[in-house]
Amino acid sequence: MPNITQQKKRVRIAARQRLENLRYRSTVRTLTRRLSDAVADGDDEKVQAEHRELVRWLDRAVARGALHRNTAARKKAQAAKLVAGRSG
């Protein structure tokens, strides 16, 4: 445990940021699962809505540093492949 005041503050901030990053990663996983479920059900409107929401969350996670941009790009490509594969 740090003794210096500024380092105590940094520990608090880091803990808060860790939880925020976890929330973004968890939400991305949830939305990915929802997208695959929607594709399995075959509901086109729901698939488009879930895909749009997933891409939005991925972009937001990259913007705040919760995910690396290449990781987000990979996840977007996988989602796009999933969406395109259902109609073909």
Side-chain angles (χ1 to χ4, degrees):
M1 217 33 218
N3 294 325
I4 300 167
T5 308
Q6 182 60 36
Q7 294 310 312
K8 289 179 183 176
K9 182 179 175 183
R10 287 302 306 165
V11 167
R12 288 195 309 268
I13 291 170
R16 190 167 57 236
Q17 289 172 341
R18 211 170 17 255
L19 285 176
E20 190 75 9
N21 291 342
L22 177 65
R23 185 173 70 94
Y24 276 94
R25 291 194 310 266
S26 174
T27 303
V28 164
R29 277 194 298 268
T30 300
L31 292 172
T32 303
R33 192 184 68 244
R34 280 190 201 164
L35 176 63
S36 63
D37 289 347
V39 168
D41 291 345
D43 185 3
D44 286 347
E45 189 174 311
K46 188 174 180 184
V47 167
Q48 292 303 322
E50 294 293 345
H51 186 247
R52 200 166 33 250
E53 187 71 12
L54 174 60
V55 170
R56 185 177 298 134
W57 271 89
L58 284 168
D59 289 339
R60 210 178 292 163
V62 169
R64 74 173 318 285
L67 284 178
H68 192 274
R69 66 181 185 275
N70 291 353
T71 303
R74 185 178 67 245
K75 289 180 184 293
K76 281 189 209 177
Q78 288 169 345
K81 187 176 177 183
L82 187 66
V83 169
R86 73 178 161 78
S87 60

